Amino acid sequence: MDPFGHLLKHWRSRRRYSQLDLAVAANVSSRHISFLETGRSQPSRAMVLQLSEVMDVPLAERNALLASAGFSVAYVERAADSRDLQFVREAIAWTLERHDPYPAIAFDRHWRVRKLNRCATALLGRLGVGEGDSLLDAFLSAGPLRDALVNWQEIARELRTRLRTESMHFGGDPVLEEAIDRLDALDDGERNDSRAPSPAVISVEYRAGPEVLSFFSTISQFGSAEDIALADLKIEMMFPANEATRRALLD
């Protein structure tokens, strides 16, 4: 296990804080931060949690900081069917169901599908994606999903940016970093040099038989989540990006 000082410096660097920046944000002296990083001082449990909060360290990684300082973990990852999560499960189901007839998906930190609504099941099921499957693998591997995406290269560039942001938040996630490397390897280098204004949103265009369905998305997360898995869960709700798609889904 890495010593606390090493992990603290890692996260401070990831968040682009100087020792002085972190000290000011945490209301301690920069000398204390320096001593914590070199091991000359040992943090209290409260200090570990305070620094983690200031640096927006994800919950699982906060546990690692606590453990490295000799303290018990503060956060747990409950089973999906835990009684504690009953109302959360109901909220997820309610959100997904109410979004029909438009597609909605719940997925985890590594883009593994946890739940689909009826429309998403129909749309992605024909492309070989269902609950428990990895959206990243489906997107990055040759197969039905990639074949169905009319604007795959455009979406790949947007996805790369999104994955880099997410991996940075987690302090460097191996699964997400591997996906970024795979995207880099697949990049054909082509860029749109048009001087036309950028669209309001980047839509995802799926070929569905003779039709092309176009969607833009909103992404939601649970506020004040104290469970590790729940904090990383995202709900993506897709909306028609044009009138033809809207009619196709409403008919």
Side-chain angles (χ1 to χ4, degrees):
M1 180 184 300
D2 288 330
F4 174 79
H6 179 81
L7 288 179
L8 175 60
K9 185 175 182 179
H10 166 80
W11 279 104
R12 179 174 62 77
S13 299
R14 281 283 178 174
R15 296 302 186 245
R16 299 183 179 180
Y17 278 117
S18 67
Q19 288 184 344
L20 179 59
D21 292 334
L22 180 56
V24 171
N27 196 29
V28 297
S29 70
S30 58
R31 183 181 183 186
H32 187 50
I33 298 296
S34 176
F35 280 12
L36 288 175
E37 289 187 354
T38 60
R40 291 182 65 181
S41 295
Q42 293 301 311
S44 66
R45 181 182 179 86
M47 178 56 65
V48 176
L49 293 173
Q50 180 179 344
L51 293 171
S52 297
E53 183 69 23
V54 167
M55 295 187 292
D56 191 27
V57 177
L59 301 188
E61 285 72 18
R62 294 187 193 195
N63 279 344
L65 281 164
L66 285 165
S68 70
F71 300 110
S72 60
V73 300
Y75 307 96
V76 298
E77 183 172 356
R78 294 166 178 81
D81 59 356
S82 168
R83 288 184 58 187
D84 291 348
L85 297 180
Q86 175 186 345
F87 289 105
V88 172
R89 292 193 299 273
E90 292 175 0
I92 293 170
W94 187 92
T95 301
L96 297 182
E97 290 167 5
R98 295 305 187 279
H99 196 62
D100 266 323
Y102 305 146
I105 310 168
F107 57 97
D108 65 17
R109 168 177 178 161
H110 293 142
W111 292 60
R112 193 164 297 281
V113 177
R114 295 306 179 194
K115 195 168 183 63
L116 301 162
N117 71 353
R118 180 189 57 81
C119 182
T121 298
L123 176 66
L124 295 178
R126 71 182 68 177
L127 303 177
V129 179
E131 291 184 8
D133 292 329
S134 168
L135 288 170
L136 290 178
D137 283 344
F139 185 84
L140 293 170
S141 303
L145 180 58
R146 269 180 58 181
D147 292 343
L149 288 170
V150 176
N151 59 336
W152 188 90
Q153 286 290 348
E154 183 180 33
I155 298 306
R157 288 190 286 272
E158 292 299 314
L159 178 60
R160 182 189 294 108
T161 299
R162 181 168 163 183
L163 291 177
R164 283 176 176 157
T165 300
E166 292 181 6
S167 183
M168 184 178 296
H169 171 69
F170 292 120
D173 184 289
V175 173
L176 302 183
E177 290 294 330
E178 180 188 7
I180 293 168
D181 290 342
R182 291 171 67 185
L183 280 168
D184 288 341
L186 292 168
D187 190 356
D188 63 5
E190 182 180 346
R191 294 292 184 273
N192 183 4
D193 294 326
S194 171
R195 295 179 180 234
S198 299
V201 292
I202 300 296
S203 61
V204 180
E205 298 177 0
Y206 294 91
R207 188 175 303 282
E211 299 178 311
V212 173
L213 303 178
S214 183
F215 300 97
F216 65 90
S217 298
T218 64
I219 299 173
S220 304
Q221 289 183 268
F222 286 92
S224 304
E226 293 289 296
D227 179 88
I228 293 173
L230 185 59
D232 294 339
L233 189 72
K234 299 180 180 69
I235 296 176
E236 182 159 1
M237 294 182 289
M238 289 175 266
F239 294 85
N242 55 40
E243 183 61 22
T245 301
R246 189 187 71 82
R247 287 199 305 267
L249 295 176
L250 292 177
D251 288 347

